[in-house]
Amino acid sequence: MFELLKTDAHTKARLGRLTTAHGVIDTPTFMPVGTQGTVKALDPRELREMGTQIILGNTYHLNLRPGLDIIRAAGGLHQFINWPAPILTDSGGFQVFSLAKIRKIKPHGVEFRSHLDGSLLFLGPKEAMEIQRALGSDIAMVFDDCPPHTSTPREVRAAVERTIHWARECREQPRAPGQLVFGIVQGGSDAALREECAKAIVPMQFDGYAIGGVSVGEPESEMMKAVELAEPFLPADQPRYAMGLGTPAQLVEMVARGVDMFDCVLPTRVARNGTAFTRKGTVIIKAGFNKADFRPMEENCDCFACRHFTRAYLRHLLNVNEILGIRMLSVHNSHLFLKVMADVRTALAAGNFPEFRREFVANYVPSRKVLSTRKKETER
Ligand SMILES: [Zn+2]
């Protein structure tokens, strides 16, 4: 199922291949986020053309709208959204804790009010696995408790205990045919809790392991620390997934720390704000300085948007609220994240990942504005 093809001699970076019911995923991989059953502003053909091998879907949102009866009647999520390749579904735990206004934590899940109409709902390990079984995702995530960055040590401990307990319950639930299930390690930036959580979750023998609680408003140093604390306790022969991250340079840094899979709403979210990612950092395409700039968003980028349109034209589209502007920025940004991961894989195969990493991170100038956008993420 997961083949570890190569481990970098100087870092913890790994080259791998994950086989799922709907296809093979080359790792390290970036997974575009399709929260509501679509990667915002992009269609499946565009996603395939830019090299997408797997997308995300979301249990919480898809269960509320359109609802499971519709997706079941369509023949599952792949059929419903016409995406024949692999899908990973988030369990909904993150949304229950970040979106639902009123919630009551119970032994077997969370009672909460829908963020849409206030109706009373319940989501726990059993429900989350049942929904993911009906969606028919290739990779299902366990239902976990993901506490915010501002939680007290006591709250983080309680979340770890709940996460362990709920992982065990998830493990016992039936799955869709061929469905893989990933466990999640919580524990914030507390070394002992990360270790304790990993040591409880790994013996449950999931198909892969996620490092959770790493996109909850913490500074970058703590995000890296959380990954470094959990990684040594994860089995080398199974895939590791850092949930909800990050900028292109952060992804490269996390690959160096032994992570294989990433998802992030940043490429499409900042596109909607009129901002493009490049290998040197972000560029505000909407800004006045692009008014008469007839270069592409990024020189040498072979995405559809950069091959066909100039910054000046895209700026104009964004300025007059034409949908094509947002679509083309979404195409470019998503393409860039996927291309960076493809370049990482090439560097790993060629044995020059440390040089690639050094150069990439040195060239990439992070933007404070984009980093603060990440903090508001709730829709993973
Ligand atoms: Zn481009």
Side-chain angles (χ1 to χ4, degrees):
M1 200 185 56
F2 183 70
E3 283 174 83
L4 186 59
L5 301 173
K6 193 173 178 181
T7 304
D8 182 47
H10 305 283
T11 69
K12 293 187 169 178
R14 301 131 53 85
L15 187 68
R17 189 185 290 137
L18 177 62
T19 302
T20 72
H22 287 83
V24 171
I25 301 149
D26 297 307
T27 63
T29 190
F30 176 73
M31 309 183 277
V33 181
T35 305
Q36 308 268 19
T38 172
V39 178
K40 286 189 197 298
L42 300 176
D43 70 43
R45 187 188 59 179
E46 290 167 324
L47 288 166
R48 291 313 294 247
E49 277 174 6
M50 58 178 86
T52 307
Q53 290 183 313
I54 175 171
I55 61 170
L56 248 72
N58 189 280
T59 298
Y60 176 95
H61 289 285
L62 293 169
N63 185 44
L64 290 182
R65 294 182 304 192
L68 279 196
D69 45 348
I70 302 290
I71 296 179
R72 269 201 197 99
L77 186 59
H78 292 86
Q79 293 275 355
F80 183 57
I81 69 172
N82 194 24
W83 176 258
I87 298 176
L88 180 148
T89 44
D90 201 0
S91 67
F94 186 79
Q95 283 69 31
V96 165
F97 285 96
S98 62
L99 280 182
K101 288 187 183 76
I102 303 162
R103 58 177 168 266
K104 204 183 277 175
I105 300 174
K106 307 222 161 169
H108 300 287
V110 185
E111 194 181 79
F112 63 98
R113 297 258 171 210
S114 155
H115 75 289
L116 296 173
D117 60 7
S119 58
L120 193 64
L121 298 164
F122 186 86
L123 196 59
K126 190 163 176 279
E127 294 75 17
M129 296 309 287
E130 192 182 330
I131 296 167
Q132 294 181 91
R133 185 164 76 245
L135 294 172
S137 55
D138 298 271
I139 304 172
M141 300 302 299
V142 297
F143 186 80
D144 64 329
D145 182 343
C146 180
H149 165 59
T150 47
S151 306
T152 63
R154 200 182 159 153
E155 285 167 337
V156 178
R157 163 155 286 285
V160 163
E161 282 167 9
R162 231 172 261 131
T163 293
I164 294 168
H165 180 66
W166 288 346
R168 202 166 286 126
E169 279 186 51
C170 286
R171 190 73 186 79
E172 291 161 8
Q173 305 305 316
R175 306 174 176 194
Q179 189 173 48
L180 308 176
V181 179
F182 281 16
I184 303 179
V185 176
Q186 289 288 351
S189 47
D190 183 313
L193 279 179
R194 283 277 171 193
E195 179 177 349
E196 185 185 324
C197 194
K199 282 184 171 170
I201 301 283
V202 171
M204 294 181 204
Q205 298 191 317
F206 288 102
D207 303 303
Y209 297 91
I211 300 165
V214 281
S215 187
V216 291
E218 77 283 15
E220 183 179 285
S221 57
E222 273 191 48
M223 172 206 297
M224 294 296 169
K225 192 178 153 200
V227 171
E228 287 163 11
L229 291 175
E231 185 274 337
F233 304 103
L234 302 179
D237 58 354
Q238 285 183 289
R240 293 97 170 259
Y241 164 28
M243 303 181 82
L245 300 173
T247 67
Q250 287 171 344
L251 262 49
V252 171
E253 279 301 311
M254 265 175 290
V255 166
R257 287 163 172 79
V259 180
D260 309 303
M261 302 168 73
F262 305 93
D263 77 286
C264 192
V265 299
L266 273 182
T268 47
R269 173 167 300 169
V270 309
R272 296 196 297 281
N273 299 334
T275 298
F277 277 102
T278 75
R279 284 165 193 261
K280 291 179 181 161
T282 45
V283 178
I284 303 168
I285 298 298
K286 217 175 170 174
F289 58 76
N290 286 313
K291 195 162 62 177
D293 191 332
F294 300 103
R295 293 175 302 160
M297 277 184 276
E298 184 162 29
E299 305 281 0
N300 304 319
C301 175
D302 62 353
C303 85
F304 181 85
C306 290
R307 280 188 286 120
H308 294 88
F309 302 120
T310 63
R311 289 183 177 200
Y313 177 56
L314 293 168
R315 175 192 176 257
H316 161 70
L317 293 177
L318 293 164
N319 246 354
V320 295
N321 292 319
E322 280 294 342
I323 297 167
L324 185 63
I326 289 175
R327 286 204 353 89
M328 288 302 105
L329 265 69
S330 301
V331 164
H332 168 78
N333 285 350
S334 302
H335 176 273
L336 176 69
F337 275 62
L338 291 156
K339 186 68 173 50
V340 169
M341 285 297 110
D343 290 351
V344 162
R345 293 194 298 269
T346 304
L348 280 168
N352 57 16
F353 175 74
E355 293 81 359
F356 172 88
R357 172 197 185 188
R358 204 174 307 126
E359 200 178 320
F360 190 92
V361 174
N363 284 332
Y364 191 90
V365 181
S367 143
R368 274 208 196 102
K369 191 166 173 246
V370 167
L371 292 176
S372 68
T373 310
R374 197 181 58 80
K375 288 181 189 168
K376 292 178 212 134
E377 260 177 54
T378 50
E379 60 176 55
R380 186 168 74 207

